[in-house]
């Protein structure tokens, strides 16, 4: 049997319930405790060998599950039956397990995954690290780096209708179901939808079992009573949801910029099938008709940076064309050769496996990028909001340093503050009582022997870890922001010390103060943008 003959969505209800019972204790913490730090770190780099060496020939149930489902090993049938006492037969019948001559291997990768505070079990196709060979064009990815990034970026506030566009294995849809009344998940791959359906149903059953056993994380208890049902729909891009609008759209679309045909296979999970970055540009252009009033879309993407142009040029044109609030953050920029190498290896093609195919594909890919004068390819985050009647706020920036691991609430708060500030003039802003965020520190740099600082830096410890240069006037105003005095009174006091006009000083600092409020270095008294004046 081929691994792709497996139909996990067709496992019968009793088998699914049995599988949930057998796997309820198969959690991130349990696997972490079983392995050592070296093995865990290697797994994060998609290297399974240290974990295989640590668990070599161990046959207790948890070790068997890790070897079989996570490391892609072939295990003796008797040990698998012991590890899966309630579900072995059903899992084999559905093709989840492939039994050959008394040995068993898994047709899918099934591993515990942590999404926020919740433990999920996520099935996907086995990785190249587990199989030792390149992935198929219809490969269904698990929680890859991009998927994990999007999950950490997604705003987790309650919404009515949410959309996971290009769901793959369903990981974003599972996350959305915790805070949306209804979730629609779409994909152009029927195999992806099969795995997403299995993951949806297994998640429901595992939560039920853990609730009965009281072994689930505390955040998961609240979901047991009734998470949103996930509706799966087949089709390309917006086709399955034509005419509908959503309060939140989360999408890790097939954004890889790759040539069509020739020596290169097209991978459904990553290649959009269009020229250059046209797929992402088209998705952005269609957002105004897909977002409900106040609705937010969060996407990941690649964009081309043409020779002689700043990276913002193309993306800003997309953003302003929507009429929506738009916030784009470029996280990295690869030269064309780096980009090609990264994605050739992603598909399992390496020069040591097949040097001739590597050279041919490499040349074809570079030629495609050169044909459009691509000097680099950017990767980053795109956030859009249907803000209504006011003029849109558009921000494009590059942030390449280390940032907080979870940013959903940070992004939501920034959007809230932007909306409030757009409706607040400087006179009204002067009445605000604000305070410095607790994670902000100030650095002053002096030349030897001088009394006055040459550089003053305000540094944010969390969020996007921003650093903001301040002059002595702005630093003095910020230093007095403890929530007791209004900004106007603080500015007047600083003006008195410097013997300057209070109105002129406030005019000088009002704009940078707005920036500090937007970025979260200054906070309203309640810490919540919704309570701002």
């Amino acid at each position: 049997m081929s691994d792709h003959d497996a139909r996990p969505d067709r496992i019968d209800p009793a088998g699914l319930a049995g599988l949930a019972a057998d796997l309820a204790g198969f959690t991130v913490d349990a696997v972490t405790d079983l392995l050592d730090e070296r093995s865990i770190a290697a797994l994060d780099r998609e290297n399974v060998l240290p974990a295989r060496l640590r668990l070599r020939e161990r046959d207790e149930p948890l070790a068997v599950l890790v070897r079989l489902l996570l490391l892609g090993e072939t295990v003796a049938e008797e040990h698998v039956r012991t590890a899966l006492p309630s579900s072995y037969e059903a899992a084999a019948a559905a093709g989840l397990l492939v039994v050959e001559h008394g040995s068993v291997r898994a047709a899918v990768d099934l591993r515990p995954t942590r999404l926020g505070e919740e433990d999920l079990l996520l099935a996907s196709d086995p990785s190249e690290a587990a199989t030792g060979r390149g992935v198929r064009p219809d490969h269904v990815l698990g929680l890859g780096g991009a998927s994990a990034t999007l999950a950490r970026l997604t705003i987790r506030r309650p919404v009515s209708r949410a959309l996971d566009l290009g769901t793959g294995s369903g990981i974003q849809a599972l996350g959305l179901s915790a805070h949306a009344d209804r979730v629609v998940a779409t994909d152009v791959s029927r195999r992806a939808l099969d795995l997403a359906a299995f993951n949806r149903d297994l998640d429901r059953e595992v939560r039920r079992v853990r609730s009965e056993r009281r072994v689930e994380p505390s955040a998961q208890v609240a979901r047991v009573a009734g998470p949103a049902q996930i509706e799966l729909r087949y089709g390309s891009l917006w086709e399955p949801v034509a005419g509908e609008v959503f309060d939140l759209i989360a999408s890790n679309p097939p954004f890889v910029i790759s040539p069509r045909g020739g020596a290169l296979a097209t991978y459904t999970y990553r290649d959009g099938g269009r020229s250059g970055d046209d797929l992402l540009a088209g998705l952005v252009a269609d957002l105004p008709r897909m977002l409900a009033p106040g609705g937010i879309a969060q996407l990941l993407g690649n964009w081309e940076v043409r020779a002689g142009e700043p990276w913002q040029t193309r993306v800003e044109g997309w953003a302003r064309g929507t009429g929506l609030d738009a916030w784009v953050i470029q996280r990295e920029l690869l030269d064309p050769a780096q980009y090609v190498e990264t994605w050739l290896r992603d598909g399992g093609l390496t020069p040591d496996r097949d040097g001739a195919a590597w050279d041919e594909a490499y040349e074809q890919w570079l030629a495609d990028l050169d044909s459009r004068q691509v000097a680099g390819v950017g990767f980053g985050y795109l956030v859009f909001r249907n803000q209504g009647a006011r003029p849109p706020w558009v921000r494009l920036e590059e942030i390449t340093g280390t940032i907080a691991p979870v940013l959903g609430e940070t992004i939501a708060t920034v959007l809230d503050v932007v909306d409030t500030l757009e409706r607040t003039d400087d006179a009204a802003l002067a009445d605000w009582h604000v305070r410095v965020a607790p994670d902000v520190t100030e650095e002053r740099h002096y030349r030897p022997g001088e009394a006055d600082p040459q550089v003053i830096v305000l540094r944010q410890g969390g969020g996007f870890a921003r650093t903001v240069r301040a002059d002595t006037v702005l630093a003095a105003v910020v230093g007095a922001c403890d929530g007791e005095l209004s900004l106007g009174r603080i500015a007047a006091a600083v003006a008195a010390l410097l013997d300057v006009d209070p109105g002129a000083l406030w005019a000088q600092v009002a704009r940078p103060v707005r920036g500090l409020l937007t970025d979260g270095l200054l906070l309203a008294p309640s810490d919540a943008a919704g309570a701002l004046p």
Side-chain angles (χ1 to χ4, degrees):
M1 174 188 288
S2 166
D3 290 355
H4 274 56
D5 293 332
R7 289 299 304 271
D9 59 315
R10 292 185 179 176
I11 190 169
D12 61 66
L16 189 68
L19 188 63
D22 291 340
L23 297 180
F26 190 37
T27 65
V28 171
D29 287 342
V31 173
T32 301
D33 290 343
L34 181 69
L35 300 174
D36 57 5
E37 291 184 5
R38 182 176 67 180
S39 300
I40 295 294
L43 286 174
D44 289 340
R45 300 190 302 270
E46 297 189 359
N47 179 3
V48 299
L49 184 58
R52 284 179 173 173
L53 293 174
R54 183 170 178 81
L55 300 182
R56 183 163 47 190
E57 298 182 2
R58 288 179 58 172
D59 58 11
E60 69 269 33
L62 181 59
V64 168
L65 292 177
V66 172
R67 291 172 58 201
L68 178 74
L69 301 175
L70 200 153
L71 303 181
E73 291 189 22
T74 298
V75 183
E77 183 179 6
E78 62 181 302
H79 298 321
V80 179
R81 285 184 177 274
T82 300
L84 298 173
S86 302
S87 59
Y88 176 83
E89 299 293 346
L96 290 169
L97 304 177
V98 180
V99 184
E100 296 173 332
H101 310 297
S103 297
V104 180
R105 61 181 173 84
V108 297
D109 179 295
L110 180 56
R111 67 180 60 208
T113 300
R114 183 157 290 160
L115 192 62
E117 297 181 3
E118 292 189 63
D119 262 331
L120 306 172
L121 289 170
L122 189 71
S124 62
D125 282 330
S127 69
E128 176 194 355
T131 64
R133 59 180 184 271
V135 300
R136 291 171 53 115
D138 59 348
H139 181 79
V140 179
L141 196 65
L143 186 63
S147 296
T149 296
L150 181 60
R152 293 192 292 264
L153 292 173
T154 301
I155 296 170
R156 299 299 177 189
R157 294 179 178 179
V159 295
S160 176
R161 303 187 78 238
L163 171 66
D164 175 11
L165 184 74
T167 191
S169 61
I171 184 64
Q172 307 302 332
L174 290 171
L176 293 170
S177 72
H179 56 98
D181 294 333
R182 183 183 177 193
V183 178
V184 177
T186 69
D187 208 286
V188 73
S189 165
R190 294 197 182 276
R191 176 161 179 76
L193 292 175
D194 289 344
L195 282 163
F198 173 73
N199 287 324
R200 174 196 62 193
D201 297 342
L202 181 62
D203 176 60
R204 181 189 64 244
E205 287 299 312
V206 168
R207 281 187 285 101
R208 179 186 60 78
V209 173
R210 288 176 176 166
S211 177
E212 292 172 354
R213 297 180 185 178
R214 295 294 186 265
V215 298
E216 71 287 346
S218 59
Q220 200 158 5
V221 176
R223 288 193 61 208
V224 171
Q229 177 67 18
I230 300 170
E231 180 184 354
L232 300 171
R233 300 184 190 175
Y234 171 77
S236 177
L237 302 177
W238 304 116
E239 291 174 1
V241 292
E244 302 178 52
V245 294
F246 297 88
D247 304 297
L248 179 61
I249 298 172
S251 181
N252 176 24
F255 57 70
V256 175
I257 298 169
S258 53
R260 308 272 57 83
L264 289 164
T266 297
Y267 295 94
T268 307
Y269 71 93
R270 73 177 200 190
D271 298 314
R274 299 189 186 181
S275 175
D277 51 21
D278 287 353
L279 183 140
L280 184 61
L283 286 179
V284 170
D286 288 336
L287 285 174
R289 62 184 177 85
M290 304 307 301
L291 287 174
I296 294 171
Q298 297 181 261
L299 301 84
L300 302 181
N302 279 160
W303 44 82
E304 296 182 344
V305 180
R306 303 287 172 82
E309 294 181 350
W311 74 264
Q312 296 94 334
T313 299
R314 287 178 61 73
V315 186
E316 185 171 11
W318 303 346
R320 294 195 182 279
T322 65
L324 306 171
D325 282 349
W327 183 10
V328 181
I329 299 173
Q330 180 166 281
R331 289 288 286 152
E332 62 181 28
L333 179 66
L334 297 181
D335 70 51
Q338 287 177 297
Y339 190 76
V340 170
E341 291 164 14
T342 296
W343 290 108
L344 284 177
R345 293 182 185 278
D346 175 80
L349 182 57
T350 62
D352 55 314
R353 282 183 182 160
D354 190 337
W358 168 272
D359 290 347
E360 182 182 0
Y362 203 132
E363 181 179 359
Q364 180 189 346
W365 207 323
L366 278 180
D368 178 70
L369 294 172
D370 289 344
S371 70
R372 294 186 299 280
Q373 296 185 305
V374 176
V377 179
F379 167 80
Y381 320 146
L382 304 94
V383 182
F384 297 88
R385 178 176 57 177
N386 183 359
Q387 83 291 346
R390 66 166 173 76
W393 169 76
V394 177
R395 181 179 193 175
L396 292 91
E397 58 183 332
E398 187 170 30
I399 301 176
T400 57
T402 302
I403 58 179
V406 179
L407 287 165
E409 188 56 31
T410 297
I411 292 171
T413 301
V414 168
L415 295 178
D416 287 344
V417 173
V418 164
D419 193 50
T420 304
L421 288 173
E422 290 291 320
R423 295 183 281 105
T424 304
D425 61 23
D426 286 351
L429 182 63
D431 292 332
W432 286 20
H433 292 245
V434 307
R435 61 187 180 88
V436 180
D439 64 340
V440 172
T441 57
E442 181 184 277
E443 300 174 6
R444 293 182 176 236
H445 300 265
Y446 298 82
R447 291 189 181 278
E450 293 189 357
D452 297 325
Q454 296 296 307
V455 177
I456 303 173
V457 175
L458 302 175
R459 188 177 300 277
Q460 184 182 50
F464 286 99
R466 298 181 184 278
T467 57
V468 179
R469 289 191 62 167
D471 59 21
T472 54
V473 174
L474 179 61
V477 170
V478 171
C481 289
D482 60 3
E484 295 296 322
L485 298 176
S486 69
L487 284 166
R489 291 186 63 185
I490 292 172
V494 173
L497 288 173
L498 299 176
D499 194 25
V500 299
D501 177 67
L505 187 140
W506 174 237
Q508 175 186 338
V509 301
R511 182 172 181 179
V513 163
R514 286 176 178 270
L516 294 174
L517 284 162
T518 298
D519 293 334
L521 282 78
L522 290 177
L523 304 176
S526 65
D527 293 356
L532 293 175

